Amino acid sequence: MTRLFVCLLIASLAAFALPNNAAAAADCTDRASLPATHDGDAVAAVGFAYVRSIDNGSQQTFWVQVAVDVPDGTQLLVFANGGDPAGTITIALGTGTLMLSSPLPAGLAEVCEIGRIWVTDVEETTTLIDGSF
């Protein structure tokens, strides 16, 4: 699991090194560490999120990466702001990534406005990671 965490950390740092374009009011770049919940601690969950909007919101990216000690093929749901899922992550070798770009799902119309992010099992009974920008 340590090796997976190091790989996750390296990938996260590479993505976070992207330049911040603050020229337009609708543009943003932000990153957040997403801590494990009590249930997430039980499976060594850790997560990172990244948002970027450039060219007055015409190019948007929403990225969530998790490392968790669950079997390969396990699917997790990612939520942002409201109650609708932003997408699904499938775990392979202890990690999984959700990367969305423009056009985004309706619930994520503007990545600069994303606050809370949480990751659950597909039954939505167990929240593993919960954090905010």
Side-chain angles (χ1 to χ4, degrees):
M1 190 67 188
T2 302
R3 191 181 95 208
L4 292 174
F5 180 76
V6 170
C7 290
L8 175 65
L9 183 60
I10 290 169
S12 299
L13 292 174
F16 296 159
L18 294 172
N20 182 2
N21 181 350
D27 292 350
C28 67
T29 299
D30 204 357
R31 56 196 152 269
S33 178
L34 305 173
T37 64
H38 176 71
D39 290 326
D41 283 338
V43 290
V46 62
F48 300 92
Y50 173 79
V51 292
R52 184 171 189 215
S53 176
I54 59 173
D55 295 334
N56 291 316
S58 66
Q59 296 179 38
Q60 298 187 70
T61 300
F62 175 57
W63 180 80
V64 176
Q65 187 169 35
V66 299
V68 59
D69 189 14
V70 296
D72 284 357
T74 298
Q75 292 190 325
L76 304 175
L77 294 178
V78 177
F79 295 84
N81 288 343
D84 294 328
T88 303
I89 292 175
T90 302
I91 301 299
L93 300 174
T95 63
T97 303
L98 171 69
M99 186 165 194
L100 302 174
S101 340
S102 302
L104 299 172
L108 298 176
E110 176 57 51
V111 297
C112 297
E113 296 175 8
I114 292 176
R116 182 176 173 221
I117 299 167
W118 66 102
V119 177
T120 73
D121 62 346
V122 291
E123 292 83 21
E124 299 180 43
T125 57
T126 305
T127 301
L128 303 173
I129 296 169
D130 193 340
S132 298
F133 282 104

